Amino acid sequence: MEGAGLPGTKEEKHGIRRSYRILVEMPLKLIPETLRKRLCSDLEKRVALSGISVDRLAAVRVWTTVSLPVVVMLLLRFSGLGLMLSAPCAAFGWMLPVLLAAKNRDRYLDGVRHALPGTADMLYAFVLGGKNLDQAFRGAADSAPELLHSP
């Protein structure tokens, strides 16, 4: 296979994504099952329509909750201010996956809102063109943007 793993190829990009995914999800695999359930309990409600898995959100939660306070403490050289800022940073790290899921969900719903008028116009055009409702719905679904197709 020529070009496999060369910079800029699909294989190389896929390898980077896989390595990144393994790195992000590693702490979640090391955590005991009972703690993992506690970490994921509120994320399961928020994952709908976000396009991000619960495991990935939980892994981001683990990394950010631990790393943000540590980075702040290191940047501020373990000063009193760093100690005071570490608790809000940990809270922000805990809430970051919820914010990411909400942002992705809102982006998806906005895309659907923008795509629906065009799809409704296509449906109307098919009905005016003499198609029955079944044919009109199939034609509108075929011409709809990818966003409106069922997963």
Side-chain angles (χ1 to χ4, degrees):
M1 186 148 101
E2 292 181 22
L6 293 177
T9 62
K10 283 186 177 182
E11 292 84 10
E12 191 251 349
K13 290 179 183 177
H14 180 68
I16 290 173
R17 274 192 236 136
R18 185 171 182 267
S19 301
Y20 175 72
R21 189 179 74 238
I22 289 171
L23 178 69
V24 167
E25 294 177 357
M26 181 180 44
L28 191 63
K29 293 177 181 178
L30 299 175
I31 294 175
E33 186 67 29
T34 56
L35 185 57
R36 188 179 315 149
K37 286 182 182 178
R38 282 193 164 177
L39 283 172
C40 299
S41 63
D42 68 324
L43 294 177
E44 291 171 355
K45 296 178 260 181
R46 312 224 189 254
V47 79
L49 300 177
S50 72
I52 305 173
S53 69
V54 175
D55 289 340
R56 186 161 295 168
L57 287 174
V60 168
R61 176 174 276 176
V62 169
W63 275 106
T64 57
T65 302
V66 172
S67 64
L68 284 177
V70 169
V71 168
V72 167
M73 288 294 288
L74 289 174
L75 288 176
L76 297 177
R77 297 182 182 162
F78 298 95
S79 67
L81 180 62
L83 188 60
M84 287 181 358
L85 290 176
S86 64
C89 286
F92 178 73
W94 183 264
M95 291 303 298
L96 186 63
V98 174
L99 297 172
L100 288 174
K103 178 184 169 195
N104 281 355
R105 181 179 179 272
D106 290 343
R107 184 181 307 146
Y108 172 76
L109 292 176
D110 283 343
V112 169
R113 282 187 202 106
H114 290 300
L116 278 178
T119 304
D121 289 342
M122 288 301 296
L123 181 63
Y124 182 68
F126 280 122
V127 170
L128 284 181
K131 303 281 185 187
N132 64 30
L133 280 179
D134 184 52
Q135 292 171 333
F137 277 114
R138 287 181 196 274
D142 289 341
S143 65
E146 178 93 16
L147 188 63
L148 296 179
H149 289 233
S150 62

